[in-house]
Amino acid sequence: MQNRYSGDMGDFGKFLLLKHLFPTESIATIWYLYPDETHNNDGSHRVEEGNANLYRHCHSLDPQMSELFHQIHQRDSRHIDLFEELCVLENGHYFTESILGEGESDRIQWLKRALEFIRSKSCSVVCLDPDNGIEPSSMSKLSILKQGKYATFAEIESFFTLECVNHLVIYQHFHRQQSHDMQMREAKVKFERLYEGRAVVTIIRHNPVQARFYIVLSKPTEILEPIRSLEDRMYGPRAFFSVLRALNE
């Protein structure tokens, strides 16, 4: 996550998903805050009245949330602290420390503070929001700086095994080497293997404007009741979210 993305379509989709799936549970968003970059125009799909078509569709889905997002863009600068200040999620808590330090030991300490933050708030839902998603196979070859764009499998395990946590939601960026469908199916197979008997794995695709997907790990006794109606939320002529069907269907 970067501050310059605050209030864009990706954030709207993420918070809409969390609000729909977990309306009464305490939710921790772990930002994996990364320094702002300037080499691309990412974050330009702002949910504000100036983006008329986008704003109209978002307003039809959730008027209150879209109005709060519009307020974010009325401020002098975009910053993740505004989500907490404006209470975008009434049951939300936000861990906003930068993921980057001087080396590996700093990241270990960052993780410890994030875990303690979740315990202190007794959050039953945790959403991990790394800039790009889950660590790639080339993670060890990346610089400390570039590693800050990803959540590691070890960190995912640490968050999931917290006693208070029932659901872990992980943001994942699509890459260009495979089809979106293949990437989602591979993620489902991988996490079902890693968490066999310990988690139910649900894959949810965010469709409009900037496609991305979410991996939801739910402890076996926890059922995502609202998942059935998730695809009824429409963005114009198509579903805002789509749920990956069972692999044998």
Side-chain angles (χ1 to χ4, degrees), residues 5 22 53 61 64 67 98-99 114 128 160 179 203 220 242:
Y5 298 155
F22 311 107
N53 289 335
L61 287 163
Q64 180 185 27
E67 289 168 6
S98 172
I99 184 63
L128 305 186
F160 182 76
S179 69
I203 307 293
S242 53

Side-chain angles (χ1 to χ4, degrees), residues 4-203:
R4 68 187 179 121
Y5 298 155
S6 299
D8 71 358
M9 189 58 159
D11 276 335
F12 184 85
K14 172 179 61 191
F15 288 122
L16 184 68
L17 180 72
L18 294 172
K19 184 176 181 178
H20 178 80
L21 290 182
F22 311 107
T24 62
E25 299 192 55
S26 183
I27 303 170
T29 298
I30 309 299
W31 284 115
Y32 278 74
L33 182 62
Y34 191 82
D36 281 351
E37 298 174 299
T38 58
H39 67 280
N40 59 41
N41 196 38
D42 288 353
S44 62
H45 297 286
R46 303 180 181 189
V47 181
E48 60 175 335
E49 291 180 5
N51 282 351
N53 289 335
L54 187 151
Y55 185 80
R56 183 177 67 253
H57 288 307
C58 291
H59 196 273
S60 69
L61 287 163
D62 192 312
Q64 180 185 27
M65 186 178 291
S66 61
E67 289 168 6
L68 291 174
F69 270 59
H70 175 71
Q71 291 182 39
I72 289 174
H73 297 292
Q74 305 311 298
R75 303 298 182 94
D76 292 334
S77 61
R78 299 163 73 179
H79 198 283
I80 59 174
D81 288 346
L82 292 173
F83 293 108
E84 184 168 18
E85 179 183 329
L86 295 172
C87 199
V88 171
L89 289 178
E90 292 184 2
N91 50 338
H93 306 279
Y94 306 89
F95 185 74
T96 59
E97 286 191 31
S98 172
I99 184 63
L100 295 177
E102 298 299 321
E104 183 178 357
S105 62
D106 292 276
R107 183 151 177 169
I108 292 172
Q109 293 305 313
W110 175 91
L111 175 62
K112 289 180 179 178
R113 291 191 294 272
L115 294 170
E116 182 53 37
F117 175 83
I118 294 166
R119 292 191 195 96
S120 70
K121 304 296 183 182
S122 299
C123 294
S124 57
V125 178
V126 174
C127 177
L128 305 186
D129 193 8
D131 202 45
N132 282 354
I134 299 165
E135 65 173 294
S137 58
S138 60
M139 181 74 162
S140 62
K141 299 177 183 179
L142 299 177
S143 66
I144 293 294
L145 180 66
K146 291 299 183 183
Q147 287 181 8
K149 284 178 168 283
Y150 302 95
T152 69
F153 286 105
E155 289 162 356
I156 291 169
E157 175 71 8
S158 295
F159 287 118
F160 182 76
T161 53
L162 283 175
E163 185 175 357
C164 62
V165 173
N166 293 327
H167 304 276
L168 185 64
V169 182
I170 311 161
Y171 165 83
Q172 181 60 48
H173 183 78
F174 282 116
H175 58 71
R176 299 179 180 179
Q177 283 68 52
Q178 292 175 303
S179 69
H180 290 181
D181 186 67
M182 181 63 71
Q183 291 176 59
M184 292 189 296
R185 289 180 179 275
E186 286 189 356
K188 185 170 178 65
V189 169
K190 186 176 188 69
F191 276 93
E192 285 184 336
R193 176 175 55 81
L194 288 173
Y195 287 85
E196 184 176 4
R198 297 194 294 143
V200 177
V201 181
T202 306
I203 307 293

